[in-house]
Amino acid sequence: MRRLVFLYAERFREAGSTVMRGFQLADIAREHLPRRRVSVRPLGSTARNSDVFLTKGAVNMATPEQLDLLVRSGNRLLFDPVDELPPWTTARFADVLVASSHTAFEHYSRAFPATRVALVDHHVDPRLPTSPAPPSRFRAGYFGERVNAVLTPRIEERVDVVAIDTSRHDDAWLSGLGRYSFHYAVRQQRALDHFKPFLKGFTAAHCGAPVLIQRDQEEAVRWLGADYPYLLDDTNEETILSALARAESEFGGPRWLRALSVMEGIRARTSPERIASELAAAIA
């Protein structure tokens, strides 16, 4: 059985993509793929006759010379650009191009027809509570970088903003997740956004909370379904405020319970066991 080596770029060691798709995914592999020897190493380390999983930082930082040496050492290379466009080195060096979302999987399959593409959905942070107790009242929270969300002073009167800096390791925000029964995920679209996995939705699902997001987010709708109760048709402030008020009035009611049922299904589909099975298929 070949060793599974996760490579990260030292410059991005503290970045969320390195922590989650490097160190944490390696832990998931160790627990659920016990026949695999798993290690995490910085880019530039020696690896031979292994399956080498390059995290986003490593994919972007690796030079052609480094990649060529890895290939000549008998390794199979898996590139994981997560939410970015794959670099030009992909077609030449990647044995497997890993997609962390369904929209990325479809785009990569069209853009790199000669490269095998494999779906490994994004996992949630394993430090989340495993059996969250649902809050007894409506309370909405946004967890992430402020620049990624549609926020106004009036929206922030209804939604607590828990700011996260994904460029460095920060887990302080995790302890407060259990206080929120509703997760705000209305995205501010930016030019650098490409194929965002539905991680905010996965996090909400593992917390036992519905999520609010706009309908034009294709990846989210694929997971939630077009008839999910809390999809926005636009991101105008009044539309968002009305949706928040409606969700609060429906707390515990039939539409709320239907949304929770959808989230429970997402939780099952993003369990560590399910993620490990997708990783196993990618490296098979």
Side-chain angles (χ1 to χ4, degrees), residues 65-87:
E65 292 74 21
Q66 288 173 316
L67 296 171
D68 184 62
L69 178 59
L70 287 168
V71 171
R72 287 190 288 108
S73 298
N75 299 298
R76 297 170 65 242
L77 305 188
L78 295 88
F79 281 24
D80 182 34
V82 189
D83 54 357
E84 295 188 356
L85 294 173

Side-chain angles (χ1 to χ4, degrees), residues 96-100 105 116-120 278 281-282:
V96 181
L97 180 55
V98 178
S100 63
F105 179 86
R116 181 177 166 229
V117 180
L119 176 67
V120 180
E278 292 179 343

Side-chain angles (χ1 to χ4, degrees), residues 103-154:
T103 47
F105 179 86
E106 293 178 358
H107 174 84
Y108 295 167
S109 298
R110 292 191 300 268
F112 298 90
T115 303
R116 181 177 166 229
V117 180
L119 176 67
V120 180
D121 284 310
H122 212 299
H123 65 278
V124 300
D125 197 302
R127 294 165 296 183
L128 289 176
T130 54
S131 299
S136 58
R137 66 183 182 89
F138 180 89
R139 187 177 183 183
Y142 169 73
F143 313 93
E145 295 185 324
R146 295 183 65 94
V147 70
N148 287 331
V150 177
L151 295 169
T152 67
R154 293 179 66 198

